């Protein structure tokens, strides 16, 4: 069930000459001779243009539809869309053309337009399966999960053995917070299609998210036995190169669901589990470049040496060397960046497991405190006095904790602003701006969807970050890039009232995604990050 689930229109006319060209073109198409098929279809349309009006209406519509299908296989979606529209102007009853024009819009990122076209196809033929399956995909892309679930359940009633539908339903249930049902669907998908490795790993990931650690460990171990490597094919054959990604369950990893989507290169993901002894000779055939995804230096302390050993044994270029990841704990990063000109880097102190505040520590309250290895604002508080800090440290004494200087980074209008950049090779690219009334600011938790002025400001930042961050700030960001020394990572930062760059967080664990239906203006800037990431991997794979 993908956006390439094209429907083929059935011929509706037998006009002499034109019918022959349509038949010949389709024979080329079926044999995979797409360019000759295009030439024949175009010749047929040229012939039709010389004939009397109304003589070959149905045949012309069929030629446009067939030509559009051929252009789709060549990834020429502009020409495909033009010909689908031409077919529908002549023959609006061609349900497959409504469906395939929806695919054109979906591939162009116009999801709402795609949904409208799929609905038009279903208005004309409620049982049209390609329109139903593609509609599900578009609804998921626009985060309309409840409607997608309803459609998936209807489709599964018709084909209960369809493992792909069950996998899709599992993902939708997970997004809706129905994790028990999600696990059930993935487990049924595993039974029906044991060759589909991804479903095995989803079971482990969801059980881990539910806090079922032993069950998650068992699920991951089973997945690793059955499918030690999770392969995702390239969008072309042969792939332009092969990337081997090192992933560690139960620790922080670089999120790559978006980055590894629709790639011209093959991706193979190796799960690093306790006691892993991967076959290096086998792995060497999977990789032109190694991508280390283990990104959290706190959570990944035990597995990073294994990732380092594998990467070095393979002798391939490595993106985000595990040895460098080990130096990106919050306290190590604050120390490394403390003297960057024009920066304000909050002092960060690490309190070891079981210990309290060191004697003689001079703190200026309020301070921030958080548990090491946590992200997204979890176990992260602003504390106004020593008693509150002592209580926080005691409540979480089973873990390392950080005590961080609080910086009041409110702007003159009283709102807090937090900016995120992604460092991709030599490029420093804007990703988002979060605006809110609270110091603990996360983009997805703001109410920016209700404020047009906030969206306008974010779009201006994405379009022209230099209007916010001047030459001195840009130089500071370049120094940060060089000192951190990673190939791909992010920074959350702001500007204080004196215009200094305030550094909150620098690591490779930051999320980049393209699920922004309420903020379509973000799409070109997010896609730029994806293109830069793909280009960086290609340079590594080539060895330059």
């Amino acid at each position: 069930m993908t956006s390439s689930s094209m429907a083929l229109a059935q011929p509706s006319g037998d006009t002499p000459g034109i019918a022959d060209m349509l038949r010949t073109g389709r024979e080329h198409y079926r044999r995979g001779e797409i360019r000759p098929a295009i030439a024949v279809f175009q010749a047929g349309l040229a012939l039709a243009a010389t004939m009397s009006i109304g003589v070959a209406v149905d045949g012309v519509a069929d030629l446009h539809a067939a030509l559009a299908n051929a252009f789709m296989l060549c990834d020429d979606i502009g020409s495909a869309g033009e010909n689908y529209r031409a077919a529908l102007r002549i023959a609006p009853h061609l349900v497959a053309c409504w469906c395939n024009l929806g695919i054109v819009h979906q591939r162009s990122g116009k999801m709402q337009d795609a949904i409208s076209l799929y609905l038009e196809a279903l208005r004309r033929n409620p049982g049209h399966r390609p329109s139903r399956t593609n509609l599900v995909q578009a609804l998921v892309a626009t985060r309309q999960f409840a409607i997608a679930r309803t459609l998936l359940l209807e489709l599964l009633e018709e084909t209960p053995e369809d493992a792909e539908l069950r996998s899709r339903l599992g993902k939708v249930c997970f997004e809706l917070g129905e994790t028990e049902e999600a696990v059930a669907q993935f487990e049924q998908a595993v039974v029906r299609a044991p060759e589909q490795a991804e479903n095995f790993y989803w079971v482990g990931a969801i059980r881990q998210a539910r806090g079922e650690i032993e069950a998650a460990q068992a699920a991951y171990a089973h997945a690793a036995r059955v499918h030690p490597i999770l392969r995702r094919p390239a969008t072309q054959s042969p792939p332009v190169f092969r990337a081997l990604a090192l992933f560690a369950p139960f620790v922080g990893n670089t999120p790559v669901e978006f980055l590894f989507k629709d790639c011209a290169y093959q991706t193979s993901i190796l799960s690093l589990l306790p006691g892993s002894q991967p076959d290096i000779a086998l792995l060497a055939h999977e990789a032109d470049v190694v991508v280390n995804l283990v990104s959290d230096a706190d959570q990944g302390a035990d597995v990073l040496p294994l990732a380092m050993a594998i990467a070095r044994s393979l002798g391939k270029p490595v993106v985000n060397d595990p040895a460098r990841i080990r130096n990106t704990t919050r306290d190590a990063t604050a120390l490394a960046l403390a003297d960057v000109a024009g920066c304000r880097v909050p002092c960060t102190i690490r309190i070891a497991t079981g210990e309290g505040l060191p004697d003689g520590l001079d703190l200026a309250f309020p301070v921030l405190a958080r548990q090491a290895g946590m992200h997204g604002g979890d176990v992260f508080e602003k504390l106004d006095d020593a008693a509150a800090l002592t209580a926080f440290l005691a409540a979480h004494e089973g873990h390392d904790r950080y005590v961080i200087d609080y910086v009041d980074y409110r702007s003159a209008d009283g709102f807090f602003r937090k900016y995120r950049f992604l460092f991709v090779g030599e490029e420093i690219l804007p990703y988002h701006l979060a605006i809110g009334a609270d110091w603990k600011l996360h983009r997805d938790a703001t109410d920016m969807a209700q404020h047009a002025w906030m969206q306008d400001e974010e779009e201006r930042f994405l379009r022209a970050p230099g209007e916010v961050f001047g030459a001195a700030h840009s130089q500071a960001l370049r120094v940060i890039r060089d000192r951190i020394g990673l190939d791909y990572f992010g920074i959350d930062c702001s500007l204080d009232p004196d215009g200094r760059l305030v550094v909150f967080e620098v690591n490779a664990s930051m999320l980049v995604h393209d699920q922004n239906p309420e903020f379509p203006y973000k799409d070109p800037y997010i896609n730029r990050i994806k293109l830069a990431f793909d280009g960086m991997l290609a340079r590594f794979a080539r060895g330059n």
Side-chain angles (χ1 to χ4, degrees):
M1 185 175 59
T2 69
S3 60
S4 60
S5 298
M6 284 173 35
L8 298 180
Q10 296 302 312
S12 55
D14 292 312
T15 306
I18 291 177
D20 292 338
M21 288 188 167
L22 184 62
R23 185 164 45 251
T24 300
R26 283 183 167 149
E27 289 173 358
H28 284 299
Y29 185 96
R30 282 192 290 270
R31 291 196 296 264
E33 301 164 357
I34 306 304
R35 289 299 175 187
I38 288 174
V40 173
F41 294 142
Q42 288 175 327
L45 288 170
L47 173 64
T50 68
M51 303 176 70
S52 301
I53 295 175
V55 171
V57 170
D58 286 344
V60 171
D62 292 334
L63 281 168
H64 276 298
L67 181 58
N69 291 343
F71 277 129
M72 287 285 276
L73 289 185
C74 297
D75 287 326
D76 186 350
I77 60 174
S79 297
E82 180 182 337
N83 280 279
Y84 285 132
R85 283 186 286 269
L88 289 168
R89 283 193 294 270
I90 299 169
H93 62 277
L94 294 177
V95 172
C97 286
W98 289 106
C99 175
N100 294 341
L101 186 57
I103 296 172
V104 168
H105 283 78
Q106 192 165 339
R107 290 188 182 178
S108 302
K110 301 174 182 177
M111 292 297 175
Q112 292 299 340
D113 291 338
I115 289 172
S116 297
L117 289 160
Y118 295 141
L119 290 173
E120 177 62 24
L122 293 172
R123 185 183 71 81
R124 295 173 180 275
N125 181 357
H128 193 246
R129 193 171 180 91
S131 295
R132 294 160 72 196
T133 56
N134 288 328
L135 176 58
V136 167
Q137 188 178 37
L139 289 168
V140 169
T142 53
R143 305 189 68 79
Q144 300 180 65
F145 298 116
I147 304 173
R149 177 183 56 186
T150 299
L151 290 176
L152 283 166
L153 289 171
E154 292 176 357
L155 289 164
L156 275 169
E157 284 185 5
E158 300 168 10
T159 54
E161 297 303 312
D162 191 323
E164 176 59 29
L165 287 178
R166 292 202 177 274
S167 178
R168 178 69 65 179
L169 181 57
K171 294 173 185 177
V172 166
C173 289
F174 176 75
E175 293 288 353
L176 290 169
E178 301 170 357
T179 55
E180 186 173 351
E181 179 62 22
V183 168
Q185 292 298 333
F186 282 117
E187 288 179 337
Q188 290 188 55
V190 163
V191 171
R192 289 166 171 79
E195 74 282 0
Q196 295 180 8
E198 183 182 26
N199 297 323
F200 287 83
Y201 287 93
W202 266 101
V203 173
I206 296 175
R207 291 204 180 279
Q208 180 181 350
R210 286 168 59 90
E212 301 168 359
I213 302 303
E214 290 186 4
Q217 290 172 336
Y220 276 126
H222 180 60
R225 284 195 303 273
V226 179
H227 295 287
I229 300 174
L230 178 60
R231 294 180 180 86
R232 296 180 178 177
T235 56
Q236 66 180 62
S237 182
V240 293
F241 61 89
R242 300 159 303 164
L244 173 67
L246 306 180
F247 166 85
F250 307 106
V251 307
N253 293 271
T254 301
V256 289
E257 182 177 356
F258 168 65
L259 296 173
F260 279 173
K261 184 172 69 174
D262 298 331
C263 299
Y265 54 91
Q266 174 185 297
T267 55
S268 300
I269 302 175
L270 173 68
S271 289
L272 305 180
L273 296 170
S276 293
Q277 295 181 333
D279 185 333
I280 299 299
L282 174 64
L283 293 178
H285 294 290
E286 302 282 342
D288 298 304
V289 57
V290 177
V291 184
N292 170 49
L293 301 182
V294 185
S295 58
D296 190 304
D298 288 314
Q299 296 182 14
D302 292 336
V303 75
L304 280 166
L306 174 60
M308 193 185 321
I310 292 172
R312 291 178 178 173
S313 296
L314 287 168
K316 306 288 185 178
V318 180
V319 172
N320 281 3
D321 187 337
R324 292 181 175 178
I325 292 288
R326 297 173 78 179
N327 298 323
T328 59
T329 59
R330 291 178 187 271
D331 54 331
T333 297
L335 185 62
L337 305 180
D339 64 345
V340 176
C343 279
R344 187 174 179 183
V345 184
C347 179
T348 302
I349 300 168
R350 188 185 190 103
I351 309 295
T353 301
E355 296 184 1
L357 286 173
D359 293 335
L361 185 62
D362 186 17
L363 296 174
F365 289 91
V367 297
L368 305 179
R370 70 186 308 156
Q371 182 177 308
M374 301 298 286
H375 299 274
D378 296 330
V379 196
F380 183 31
E381 302 295 338
K382 184 172 74 168
L383 306 168
D384 294 325
D385 53 43
L389 175 57
T390 300
F392 178 94
L393 295 175
H396 305 285
E397 66 178 354
H399 304 271
D400 284 12
R401 294 133 296 163
Y402 291 114
V403 178
I404 307 165
D405 281 349
Y406 173 72
V407 175
D408 188 343
Y409 62 103
R410 271 176 294 195
S411 303
D413 62 0
F415 285 95
F416 294 89
R417 286 168 170 80
K418 189 165 69 173
Y419 303 84
R420 177 170 293 184
F421 289 93
L422 272 295
F423 298 80
V424 190
E426 295 297 310
E427 297 190 72
I428 305 174
L429 303 174
Y431 174 66
H432 72 211
L433 162 61
I435 305 173
D438 189 66
W439 68 271
K440 186 159 55 171
L441 191 55
H442 298 281
R443 178 64 175 74
D444 293 340
T446 67
D447 58 354
M448 291 180 64
Q450 284 71 53
H451 297 285
W453 71 267
M454 291 183 179
Q455 297 175 45
D456 290 343
E457 184 175 338
E458 181 180 37
E459 194 279 331
R460 289 195 302 273
F461 161 65
L462 294 172
R463 174 169 32 89
E467 294 182 4
V468 181
F469 293 81
H473 301 128
S474 297
Q475 174 59 24
L477 288 171
R478 287 192 290 271
V479 173
I480 290 170
R481 177 194 63 203
D482 295 341
R483 291 196 182 179
I484 296 299
L486 296 176
D487 308 295
Y488 176 83
F489 66 102
I491 182 172
D492 282 341
C493 59
S494 189
L495 299 174
D496 73 5
D498 297 324
R500 290 176 294 181
L501 182 73
V502 182
V503 178
F504 298 122
E505 187 172 357
V506 183
N507 58 53
S509 297
M510 294 188 183
L511 175 65
V512 175
H513 66 83
D514 62 345
Q515 303 298 305
N516 300 289
E518 294 178 298
F519 311 100
Y521 59 85
K522 298 180 64 172
D523 291 345
Y525 307 103
I526 293 171
N527 288 333
R528 184 182 173 191
I529 293 171
K530 160 72 170 165
L531 290 173
F533 183 83
D534 289 350
M536 177 187 67
L537 261 59
R539 290 192 296 275
F540 270 78
R542 292 193 302 265
N544 56 23

